[in-house]
Amino acid sequence: MPRIVRFHETGGPEALRLDDVETPKPGPEEVVIEARALGLNRAEEMFRQGQYVQEPVLPAKIGYEVAGTVQAVGENVTHVRTGDAVSVIPAFGMNDYGMHGEVVLAPAHAVVKHPEHLSWDEAAAAWMMFITAYGGLIDLAGVGEGDTVLIPAASSSVGLAAIQICTMVGATPVALSRTSSKRQALLDHGAAAVIATQEHDVSAEVHRLTGGTGARVAFDPVGGPGFAELTAALSKEGIILVYGALASEITPLPVMDVLGKHLTIRGYELFEITTDPARRAQASEFVLNGLDTGALKPLVSTTFALDDIVAAHQYMASNQQFGKIIVRVGP
């Protein structure tokens, strides 16, 4: 019997279990995937803790990303077939489908054939990071040539994806990180500049870099006290896309900056893109093109074995990673 990752109560990484289950059978428009690699995301950490936009239905499946081989397809599935190498776009709720396990069931609309040159690890890492960044930067903010974009939590997988997408479309990515420890790594991975938020005045540095104009876009998964630094660093009619809440502190609203600069503050989540068929298709085309040309390349930070799923989640909580954490399944 295959094993899947579940939790029977909310809590820390130790709540995760590997449960034996029956091999799933695909219904109409469903695909069964034999997993080779799983991608970990902050959303899963929050879901496990009971702090996500969805309340988990216990015992709860978990996981948005998997790469592997199609084992079976249901009725009306024509774009993939048994034996295909595929990966999964996060386009469903985890109460409905969980991608972390040895053999998993996925909705057909979320299953794609990825470029052949990608490893299993890279394929499992690609979709959450690149579509999250694409949706905020391209679909919503229309980032393009000449734009300066501020990227807090830049060493996360989505932050690194945002740097690559900015470069791909001719924008200038400015990475924000708490200290200078990751400065060279961020520059090596495409950041035009790096600002250590605990060491420098963010607004002053951004205005220096932009000749006094400020940045047009900030792509923020953090919130908290640093939010005021972002509004101060933006140009007139700038936009902040808020796609996470990593900071535990209250997020202030700097009203005078918002009013005086005519700023837009926009809450954003990936599912705006992936649950809309037309927008999902556009996002998929953009990302596949970038993966094909090499303009977009998933960066894997660390790998764990499935038996070490608890340790993998503990590592995610430590914030040590630079890129994506991958869990390998099988040999």
Side-chain angles (χ1 to χ4, degrees):
M1 296 175 70
R3 299 177 300 167
I4 63 169
V5 183
R6 287 198 301 199
F7 56 97
H8 295 248
E9 59 183 6
T10 58
E14 65 282 354
L16 298 174
R17 290 169 44 174
L18 289 171
D19 289 344
D20 293 326
V21 296
E22 296 290 337
T23 300
K25 292 182 171 54
E29 300 181 353
E30 291 184 327
V31 176
V32 176
I33 300 170
E34 183 178 354
R36 298 294 299 275
L38 318 172
L40 264 59
N41 299 285
R42 292 288 181 186
E44 292 139 10
E45 181 178 44
M46 296 172 71
F47 185 65
R48 187 200 71 228
Q49 293 171 332
Q51 298 173 352
Y52 193 46
V53 292
Q54 290 179 343
E55 284 290 326
V57 177
L58 302 173
K61 303 180 292 291
I62 195 170
Y64 277 126
E65 291 183 285
V66 63
T69 304
V70 174
Q71 190 178 88
V73 300
E75 295 178 18
N76 306 323
V77 178
T78 58
H79 68 294
V80 295
R81 60 185 180 182
T82 302
D84 282 346
V86 297
S87 47
V88 171
I89 295 172
F92 47 86
M94 283 186 280
N95 282 324
D96 298 318
Y97 296 94
M99 294 301 110
H100 289 178
E102 293 173 326
V103 178
V104 297
L105 184 68
H109 68 262
V111 179
V112 294
K113 290 191 284 188
H114 51 259
E116 292 181 0
H117 70 269
L118 293 185
S119 68
W120 291 120
D121 291 357
E122 290 171 329
W127 292 106
M128 177 71 87
M129 62 188 288
F130 286 122
I131 292 189
T132 299
Y134 163 89
L137 298 178
I138 307 301
D139 186 283
L140 293 178
V143 166
E145 190 167 354
D147 285 330
T148 297
V149 179
L150 306 183
I151 306 171
S155 61
S156 68
S157 59
V158 175
L160 294 168
I163 290 171
Q164 293 183 42
I165 285 175
C166 285
T167 302
M168 183 176 171
V169 300
T172 301
V174 176
L176 305 187
S177 188
R178 285 176 295 177
T179 70
S180 298
S181 62
K182 296 177 180 178
R183 179 178 183 277
Q184 192 56 52
L186 287 165
L187 292 173
D188 291 344
H189 284 86
V194 179
I195 301 173
T197 59
Q198 293 180 356
E199 301 169 16
H200 298 101
D201 182 317
V202 173
S203 177
E205 284 295 299
V206 171
H207 281 85
R208 181 184 65 80
L209 291 168
T210 59
T213 302
R216 187 176 79 82
V217 178
F219 189 51
D220 183 30
V222 181
F227 191 79
E229 297 180 327
L230 297 182
T231 64
L234 287 190
S235 64
K236 279 202 168 185
E237 300 184 351
I239 178 171
I240 301 181
L241 296 155
V242 181
Y243 71 97
L246 294 178
S248 58
E249 303 93 334
I250 294 293
T251 300
L253 179 65
V255 175
M256 298 313 293
D257 274 340
V258 174
L259 293 177
K261 297 183 185 180
H262 311 152
L263 302 182
T264 298
I265 299 172
R266 170 67 153 83
Y268 156 66
E269 62 170 2
L270 167 80
F271 301 103
E272 293 183 58
I273 308 301
T274 61
T275 58
D276 179 316
R279 295 168 84 185
R280 182 174 67 242
Q282 291 173 336
S284 178
E285 182 180 3
F286 180 95
V287 172
L288 284 171
N289 178 60
L291 293 171
D292 278 332
T293 63
L296 303 180
K297 184 172 178 57
L299 178 63
V300 174
S301 168
T302 312
T303 61
F304 290 82
L306 181 61
D307 285 338
D308 297 324
I309 187 66
V310 170
H313 274 247
Q314 289 170 335
Y315 186 74
M316 180 164 59
S318 75
N319 296 316
Q320 297 178 61
Q321 68 269 26
F322 189 92
K324 193 82 165 186
I325 300 170
I326 294 296
V327 174
R328 290 177 174 166
V329 183

